[in-house]
Amino acid sequence: MRKKLIAGNWKMNLCAKEAESFTKEMKGTVNTDAADVVFCVPYVHLSAVRDILAGTHIKVGAQNMHYAEDGAYTGEISAKMLASMDIPYVIVGHSERREYFKESDTEVNLKALTALNSGLTPIICIGETSKQRKSKRTFNVIRKQLAFAIDEMSAEDIAKIVIAYEPVWAIGTGETATKEQAEEVCALIRDEIKAAHGAAAADAVRILYGGSVSPDNAGELFSMPNIDGGLVGGASLKSTFEKVVHF
Ligand code: PEP
């Protein structure tokens, strides 16, 4: 039985004092063992948020990392640095990074492999654009992005990673995928993993849905058989995130 995972993606929001007071507020309402709850926060807030959440069930994640172990990459952060700060999760390949920072499928794969090597859990994002869905290419796009993302991973690696199916047209738009649309793609992802790495890896891997999740739709989405929780942007920055966590 896979434990649900609800990850909040704060994106580039909240200054220091705001991050601290919001974390303190949420600590009181989303601290549960019924699901794994993760706050993926800007790098500069990692230590403060981690310290406020110490002793709770809530975990902290980063929103990106570089794939190199270390070196001359000014402005970048490595997986080793995150691991050394006891940050267990990192988002990899978010569509905003793919679009605005031109991250390629190959880079996403390298980041995921480096994260695993450092003992981090990568939350790997894949998803089709509106144009790709309208031209009925969703399944092919997902198959391709997934194959790149998990290249060179063993079945044991697969069992540790998290995949977030995030249709690009649903992110930050208020246009959520229906539970049937989301389930169909999450089931495809699991089937592909089963074909490549066997039933044990497919049963273990957690597959999230992301894209305008809200307190109103979290329950029906997260109750689908192949959806193991959500990656939540805008709604994770509101007090009502508590309703998403306790869907
Ligand atoms: C996200 O940031 O991954 C996301 C899904 O955002 P939102 O929930 O705001 O659509």
Short mmCIF file of all heavy atoms in Angstrom, two decimals, residues 2-6 29-37 56-59 206 245-246:
data_model
loop_
_atom_site.label_atom_id
_atom_site.label_comp_id
_atom_site.label_asym_id
_atom_site.label_seq_id
_atom_site.Cartn_x
_atom_site.Cartn_y
_atom_site.Cartn_z
N ARG A 2 0.74 2.08 -1.03
CA ARG A 2 1.57 3.29 -1.12
C ARG A 2 1.01 4.39 -0.23
O ARG A 2 -0.20 4.64 -0.25
CB ARG A 2 1.62 3.79 -2.57
CG ARG A 2 2.34 2.85 -3.53
CD ARG A 2 2.32 3.40 -4.94
NE ARG A 2 0.98 3.49 -5.48
CZ ARG A 2 0.35 2.52 -6.12
NH1 ARG A 2 0.95 1.36 -6.30
NH2 ARG A 2 -0.87 2.69 -6.59
N LYS A 3 1.90 5.04 0.51
CA LYS A 3 1.46 6.16 1.35
C LYS A 3 1.29 7.39 0.47
O LYS A 3 2.13 7.66 -0.40
CB LYS A 3 2.52 6.43 2.43
CG LYS A 3 2.05 7.34 3.53
CD LYS A 3 3.10 7.38 4.64
CE LYS A 3 2.59 8.22 5.81
NZ LYS A 3 3.61 8.34 6.86
N LYS A 4 0.23 8.13 0.69
CA LYS A 4 0.01 9.35 -0.11
C LYS A 4 1.12 10.37 0.19
O LYS A 4 1.66 10.40 1.31
CB LYS A 4 -1.34 9.97 0.20
CG LYS A 4 -2.53 9.08 -0.13
CD LYS A 4 -2.85 9.05 -1.60
CE LYS A 4 -4.10 8.21 -1.83
NZ LYS A 4 -4.26 7.77 -3.22
N LEU A 5 1.39 11.18 -0.79
CA LEU A 5 2.39 12.24 -0.64
C LEU A 5 1.78 13.54 -1.17
O LEU A 5 1.31 13.58 -2.31
CB LEU A 5 3.65 11.87 -1.44
CG LEU A 5 4.71 12.94 -1.66
CD1 LEU A 5 5.28 13.45 -0.34
CD2 LEU A 5 5.85 12.39 -2.50
N ILE A 6 1.77 14.55 -0.33
CA ILE A 6 1.28 15.85 -0.76
C ILE A 6 2.44 16.83 -0.64
O ILE A 6 2.92 17.12 0.47
CB ILE A 6 0.13 16.38 0.15
CG1 ILE A 6 -0.83 15.26 0.58
CG2 ILE A 6 -0.59 17.55 -0.51
CD1 ILE A 6 -1.76 14.73 -0.44
N THR A 29 -1.47 22.73 11.43
CA THR A 29 -2.65 22.16 10.75
C THR A 29 -2.35 21.01 9.79
O THR A 29 -3.24 20.24 9.47
CB THR A 29 -3.40 23.26 9.96
OG1 THR A 29 -2.51 23.80 8.97
CG2 THR A 29 -3.89 24.38 10.86
N VAL A 30 -1.11 20.92 9.29
CA VAL A 30 -0.84 19.84 8.32
C VAL A 30 0.13 18.79 8.85
O VAL A 30 0.63 17.96 8.10
CB VAL A 30 -0.33 20.39 6.95
CG1 VAL A 30 -1.31 21.38 6.36
CG2 VAL A 30 1.06 21.02 7.07
N ASN A 31 0.39 18.83 10.15
CA ASN A 31 1.29 17.85 10.74
C ASN A 31 0.54 16.53 10.95
O ASN A 31 -0.16 16.37 11.94
CB ASN A 31 1.83 18.37 12.07
CG ASN A 31 2.82 17.41 12.69
OD1 ASN A 31 3.39 16.56 12.00
ND2 ASN A 31 3.02 17.53 13.99
N THR A 32 0.68 15.64 10.00
CA THR A 32 -0.05 14.37 10.06
C THR A 32 0.85 13.23 9.62
O THR A 32 1.79 13.45 8.84
CB THR A 32 -1.28 14.41 9.13
OG1 THR A 32 -1.89 13.13 9.13
CG2 THR A 32 -0.91 14.78 7.70
N ASP A 33 0.56 12.04 10.09
CA ASP A 33 1.29 10.87 9.64
C ASP A 33 0.45 10.09 8.63
O ASP A 33 0.88 9.08 8.09
CB ASP A 33 1.64 9.99 10.85
CG ASP A 33 2.71 8.97 10.50
OD1 ASP A 33 3.50 9.23 9.58
OD2 ASP A 33 2.73 7.89 11.14
N ALA A 34 -0.74 10.59 8.35
CA ALA A 34 -1.63 9.88 7.43
C ALA A 34 -1.13 9.98 5.99
O ALA A 34 -1.42 9.12 5.15
CB ALA A 34 -3.04 10.47 7.53
N ALA A 35 -0.38 11.04 5.70
CA ALA A 35 0.24 11.21 4.38
C ALA A 35 1.62 11.81 4.61
O ALA A 35 1.86 12.41 5.66
CB ALA A 35 -0.60 12.15 3.53
N ASP A 36 2.50 11.66 3.64
CA ASP A 36 3.78 12.39 3.71
C ASP A 36 3.52 13.80 3.19
O ASP A 36 2.99 13.96 2.08
CB ASP A 36 4.84 11.70 2.85
CG ASP A 36 5.33 10.40 3.48
OD1 ASP A 36 5.27 10.28 4.71
OD2 ASP A 36 5.75 9.50 2.73
N VAL A 37 3.87 14.79 3.97
CA VAL A 37 3.67 16.19 3.57
C VAL A 37 5.05 16.83 3.43
O VAL A 37 5.90 16.67 4.30
CB VAL A 37 2.83 16.95 4.62
CG1 VAL A 37 2.65 18.41 4.22
CG2 VAL A 37 1.48 16.28 4.81
N THR A 56 8.32 17.41 13.70
CA THR A 56 7.00 17.13 13.13
C THR A 56 7.16 16.06 12.04
O THR A 56 8.27 15.63 11.73
CB THR A 56 6.39 18.39 12.46
OG1 THR A 56 7.09 18.66 11.24
CG2 THR A 56 6.46 19.60 13.37
N HIS A 57 6.03 15.67 11.45
CA HIS A 57 6.09 14.71 10.34
C HIS A 57 6.37 15.41 9.01
O HIS A 57 6.61 14.75 8.00
CB HIS A 57 4.74 13.98 10.21
CG HIS A 57 4.41 13.12 11.38
ND1 HIS A 57 5.09 11.96 11.65
CD2 HIS A 57 3.48 13.25 12.35
CE1 HIS A 57 4.58 11.40 12.74
NE2 HIS A 57 3.61 12.18 13.19
N ILE A 58 6.32 16.73 9.00
CA ILE A 58 6.42 17.46 7.74
C ILE A 58 7.88 17.55 7.29
O ILE A 58 8.76 17.87 8.08
CB ILE A 58 5.84 18.89 7.87
CG1 ILE A 58 4.45 18.83 8.51
CG2 ILE A 58 5.80 19.59 6.52
CD1 ILE A 58 3.97 20.17 9.07
N LYS A 59 8.10 17.26 6.01
CA LYS A 59 9.47 17.28 5.47
C LYS A 59 9.66 18.49 4.56
O LYS A 59 8.70 19.14 4.14
CB LYS A 59 9.72 16.01 4.65
CG LYS A 59 9.62 14.72 5.45
CD LYS A 59 10.88 14.49 6.25
CE LYS A 59 10.94 13.14 6.92
NZ LYS A 59 9.98 12.96 8.02
N ARG A 206 5.72 6.18 -6.39
CA ARG A 206 4.58 7.08 -6.14
C ARG A 206 4.43 8.05 -7.31
O ARG A 206 5.39 8.67 -7.74
CB ARG A 206 4.74 7.80 -4.81
CG ARG A 206 4.49 6.81 -3.68
CD ARG A 206 4.34 7.49 -2.35
NE ARG A 206 5.61 7.98 -1.83
CZ ARG A 206 5.74 8.51 -0.62
NH1 ARG A 206 4.69 8.62 0.17
NH2 ARG A 206 6.92 8.94 -0.20
N VAL A 245 -4.35 18.63 2.27
CA VAL A 245 -3.62 17.56 2.97
C VAL A 245 -4.58 16.55 3.60
O VAL A 245 -4.36 15.34 3.55
CB VAL A 245 -2.67 18.17 4.03
CG1 VAL A 245 -2.12 17.10 4.96
CG2 VAL A 245 -1.54 18.92 3.35
N HIS A 246 -5.66 17.08 4.16
CA HIS A 246 -6.64 16.19 4.82
C HIS A 246 -7.80 15.89 3.87
O HIS A 246 -8.95 15.91 4.29
CB HIS A 246 -7.17 16.83 6.10
CG HIS A 246 -6.09 17.13 7.10
ND1 HIS A 246 -5.42 16.15 7.79
CD2 HIS A 246 -5.54 18.31 7.49
CE1 HIS A 246 -4.51 16.72 8.58
NE2 HIS A 246 -4.56 18.02 8.42
#
